[in-house]
Amino acid sequence: MQPDLMIICDLDDHLDERDYYTGVPALVVEVLSESTRSKDIVKKLDLYMESGVSEYWIVNPFNKEITIYHFEHRDVKSVSTYKQNETAPSSYFDELEIEMNRIFK
């Protein structure tokens, strides 16, 4: 899978002999499009959860919202959806939060 955005915190520990990353990203972000919507919402959600990703963000430009899945022990610990005039906080990175009005205008 190639996510739209991923945050890797263990790069030095998980590079193979060809300098390819072989670890698991801490945070993955997918931006929905008409052609990938169902794949991002169903298949990638399951794949990222099963692979050990800590947090998965689905950015929905059609509804102007972000849904954040927080995984723990390869299961959904929490899920929250944020819309206009709200702030979307990461549950994994204490300092990361997104003001929705700055993303969707």
Side-chain angles (χ1 to χ4, degrees):
M1 293 285 170
Q2 290 186 336
D4 294 316
L5 175 72
M6 64 180 165
I7 298 177
I8 298 169
C9 298
D10 58 356
L11 182 63
D12 292 336
D13 298 332
H14 292 94
L15 288 178
D16 68 12
E17 62 279 351
R18 298 178 299 164
D19 284 338
Y20 286 104
Y21 178 65
T22 60
V24 177
L27 170 67
V28 173
V29 178
E30 293 285 358
V31 179
L32 297 183
S33 68
E34 290 293 340
S35 62
T36 65
R37 184 185 299 216
S38 63
K39 183 178 179 182
D40 292 340
I41 293 174
V42 179
K43 290 181 182 178
K44 287 186 179 182
L45 172 71
D46 287 338
L47 177 71
Y48 295 143
M49 180 177 59
E50 289 297 319
S51 67
V53 169
S54 296
E55 199 166 88
Y56 179 42
W57 291 33
I58 299 175
V59 179
N60 186 333
F62 310 107
N63 294 346
K64 296 184 177 182
E65 62 186 26
I66 296 175
T67 301
I68 300 175
Y69 291 87
H70 178 215
F71 303 129
E72 193 170 276
H73 307 293
R74 292 176 167 49
D75 199 6
V76 176
K77 180 177 181 182
S78 65
V79 60
S80 301
T81 300
Y82 301 91
K83 298 179 185 223
Q84 290 291 98
N85 300 317
E86 296 181 324
T87 300
S90 169
S91 58
Y92 187 81
F93 295 101
D94 293 334
E95 301 292 318
L96 176 61
E97 57 184 27
I98 304 297
E99 294 177 29
M100 299 296 290
N101 289 339
R102 296 187 71 172
I103 301 295
F104 303 112
K105 296 188 178 202

